[in-house]
Amino acid sequence: VLLLFKILFGVSYRTIASATNDLKIYQALDMKRAPCYKTIQNTMQYLNEGFLSKINRLLVPSNIALGGIDSTGMKTHQKGAWVVIRFRKSQRKRDFKKIHIFVDLVSKKIIYCVMMKVTASDSKQLKKILRRCKWIKVEIILGDKGYDTRECFNEITGFGSIPGIKVRENASTKSRGSPSRRKAVLAQKKDMDKWKEKVQATMRCVVESIFSGTKRRFGEYLSSLRENYRRVEMWLRTILWNVLIYPR
C-alpha cells in the first residue's frame, strides 16, 4: 500500500516513510509502528511480475469486444539539468525503456504490460503478451503498422481474435502462410473505409491517450534504478491506473 502511495504522489522513500509516521497512516494499516524508508524500499524485492499480474487480472474483465496494443518510451532517470548548470557539462547518457501495453479500448483498462529495451521490436512482443493473456477473450485486436507481419496476424488469429492491423500500401495479396493477413489486405484494398468501420480502427487512438494519461499522472520516468524494481514499478503503475483512474 505504501509503495502505491509513493508512486501515486511521486515522492521518495524517505518522504513516504515520514508521511506514514506524521499522518499516522500506519495506524490505519493496522501496523504497530511506522516502517523506515529502507523497509519500504526492500519490499520491492519481494514483489514480482507474476504476482502483480494476478492482482491486475482481478481488475479487468475477462471478455472484451475491442483490444489494442502499442508501445512507448519511458525515461529511466530525471537528472541532467543540474549537471549542465552546475558543472557546465552536457548529459550524454540517454537511457530509455520501451513499455508495451495491451489494453481494453472500451473500459480503458490495461490488461498486460511488458518492459523491454528501447531497441526491442513491437511485433515480437505481441506474441509474448498474447501467450500470457490466454485467460481473456478479445473479439478484435487493433495495432499500428509496426505489427504488420504474418507472425502477428497468425498469433492474433490463433488467439481467437480478428486482426485490426493496417497493412502496408504495397502489401502482397498472397497468403504465404498467413491467410488472415491476405484477407485483411484484400479487404483494405477493396474498401478501406468499410474495413475501418468493421474493425473500429479509429479506436486505436485510445492507447495513445492511456500513455499520455499515465505519464501525466505518474511521471514520464521510472524512479527505480534496478531492472527488477523497474518492472515492479511498471506493474504498480498499471494497477493504480486501473483502480484509481478508471472506470469513469
Side-chain angles (χ1 to χ4, degrees):
V1 175
L2 296 180
L3 287 174
L4 292 174
F5 283 156
K6 175 191 177 299
I7 293 175
L8 178 62
F9 297 109
V11 296
S12 64
Y13 289 105
R14 292 179 184 272
T15 303
I16 197 66
S18 178
T20 303
N21 183 47
D22 297 343
L23 301 178
K24 308 299 181 183
I25 297 176
Y26 67 93
Q27 294 180 355
L29 298 175
D30 196 24
M31 301 171 69
K32 294 183 179 180
R33 60 184 179 86
C36 70
Y37 78 95
K38 203 65 178 177
T39 302
I40 300 174
Q41 184 180 22
N42 289 338
T43 307
M44 294 282 281
Q45 65 182 325
Y46 297 107
L47 300 175
N48 56 63
E49 291 183 89
F51 174 72
L52 295 174
S53 64
K54 289 180 181 179
I55 295 177
N56 188 67
R57 187 184 301 184
L58 302 174
L59 306 175
V60 297
S62 57
N63 290 277
I64 63 177
L66 196 62
I69 187 168
D70 207 347
S71 62
T72 188
M74 289 288 292
K75 300 175 184 177
T76 55
H77 62 276
Q78 57 177 331
K79 59 186 178 181
W82 172 246
V83 175
V84 175
I85 295 172
R86 175 65 180 82
F87 302 102
R88 299 178 183 178
K89 188 176 181 181
S90 61
Q91 188 74 6
R92 295 181 179 179
K93 187 176 181 180
R94 299 291 181 182
D95 188 16
F96 295 89
K97 291 295 180 182
K98 205 171 188 179
I99 308 296
H100 304 260
I101 63 171
F102 183 35
V103 303
D104 178 2
L105 298 177
V106 179
S107 67
K108 301 179 178 64
K109 290 190 174 184
I110 302 175
I111 301 169
Y112 202 86
C113 58
V114 174
M115 186 180 73
M116 302 296 293
K117 293 181 179 179
V118 72
T119 55
S121 172
D122 289 353
S123 59
K124 292 181 179 180
Q125 305 313 313
L126 181 139
K127 178 179 180 180
K128 181 184 296 185
I129 291 174
L130 292 185
R131 294 195 175 185
R132 295 180 182 178
C133 295
K134 292 183 178 180
W135 52 272
I136 193 170
K137 293 183 179 180
V138 188
E139 292 183 17
I140 302 173
I141 297 179
L142 302 181
D144 57 23
K145 290 184 179 180
Y147 300 95
D148 178 24
T149 64
R150 293 179 180 83
E151 291 77 13
C152 287
F153 274 88
N154 291 341
E155 283 294 332
I156 294 175
T157 305
F159 191 70
S161 306
I162 299 174
I165 300 172
K166 187 177 179 181
V167 298
R168 295 184 292 273
E169 293 181 1
N170 61 344
S172 173
T173 55
K174 296 181 180 180
S175 66
R176 293 177 181 173
S178 180
S180 59
R181 186 176 184 274
R182 179 179 183 274
K183 185 178 179 180
V185 172
L186 292 173
Q188 293 178 37
K189 286 183 178 292
K190 182 178 180 180
D191 193 336
M192 177 62 77
D193 293 333
K194 185 178 180 180
W195 175 84
K196 286 183 177 180
E197 184 179 355
K198 180 182 178 181
V199 301
Q200 304 178 57
T202 54
M203 285 291 288
R204 198 184 66 80
C205 63
V206 173
V207 185
E208 301 294 341
S209 68
I210 292 175
F211 280 135
S212 177
T214 53
K215 288 182 179 181
R216 287 200 309 269
R217 189 65 188 86
F218 308 123
E220 298 182 355
Y221 61 91
L222 297 169
S223 59
S224 302
L225 298 179
R226 296 184 182 181
E227 189 73 12
N228 57 328
Y229 285 9
R230 287 173 179 171
R231 297 182 188 279
V232 171
E233 183 180 345
M234 173 191 65
W235 271 106
L236 291 175
R237 286 174 176 233
T238 299
I239 294 172
L240 274 174
W241 174 265
N242 290 339
V243 171
L244 301 179
I245 309 301
Y246 287 98
R248 286 182 177 176

